[in-house]
Amino acid sequence: MSKKRLCYACDLIDNPDLIEEYKKYHAKENSKPEITKSIKDSGIVDMEIYILANRLFMIMEVDETFTPERKQMMDAANPDVQEWEKLMWKFQQAPPGAKEGEKWLPMEQIYKLGH
């Protein structure tokens, strides 16, 4: 099974209290099993999210079944994911260059060490 790495960026509203609350929602002990299941079911094998000030950076390892379009369709059909996404809009804001309704934007790789 081949894997591919994808990287995305998103911004949080620049409010220290909201940022701390967002971090708590993403702490391992607060993870929601139904959201984790939806992530894995879409072909995401591994995911990490990093933060710098109010900028988020997500690294995903995906298998050959993953496409952003398939994930979007699965999310639209999942009421648990819709509820989660609605809650996350309290904290997240669109990064520069986002279209209406976009939060997480794919990042362009500009450097890689080695082959």
Side-chain angles (χ1 to χ4, degrees):
M1 187 176 287
S2 64
K3 288 195 280 184
K4 181 167 76 171
R5 178 179 295 142
L6 303 173
C7 299
Y8 289 81
C10 180
D11 288 346
L12 295 177
I13 295 169
D14 198 3
N15 174 307
D17 294 333
L18 286 177
I19 291 170
E20 284 308 309
E21 189 177 350
Y22 184 84
K23 287 179 178 181
K24 286 178 186 169
Y25 274 105
H26 288 80
K28 187 173 184 158
E29 65 271 12
N30 295 327
S31 68
K32 297 189 172 294
E34 61 275 15
I35 301 303
T36 301
K37 181 181 182 329
S38 76
I39 290 168
K40 290 180 177 181
D41 287 351
S42 73
I44 299 171
V45 178
D46 195 17
M47 176 189 286
E48 298 176 0
I49 299 175
Y50 296 84
I51 187 168
L52 173 66
N54 70 319
R55 175 75 33 101
L56 298 172
F57 176 57
M58 177 170 55
I59 304 169
M60 298 186 328
E61 296 285 338
V62 301
D63 65 24
E64 66 277 351
T65 67
F66 179 86
T67 67
E69 297 80 17
R70 180 172 169 266
K71 172 83 167 99
Q72 190 174 19
M73 287 182 359
M74 290 175 71
D75 289 352
N78 185 324
D80 292 324
V81 172
Q82 290 302 304
E83 183 180 329
W84 175 257
E85 289 300 327
K86 184 178 176 186
L87 173 62
M88 291 301 103
W89 269 115
K90 172 183 173 183
F91 309 101
Q92 297 169 332
Q93 62 182 354
K99 295 180 182 110
E100 180 70 29
E102 289 182 326
K103 296 188 287 186
W104 288 97
L105 295 184
M107 298 180 76
E108 175 186 359
Q109 183 183 55
I110 62 167
Y111 175 79
K112 180 174 174 68
L113 180 64
H115 300 284

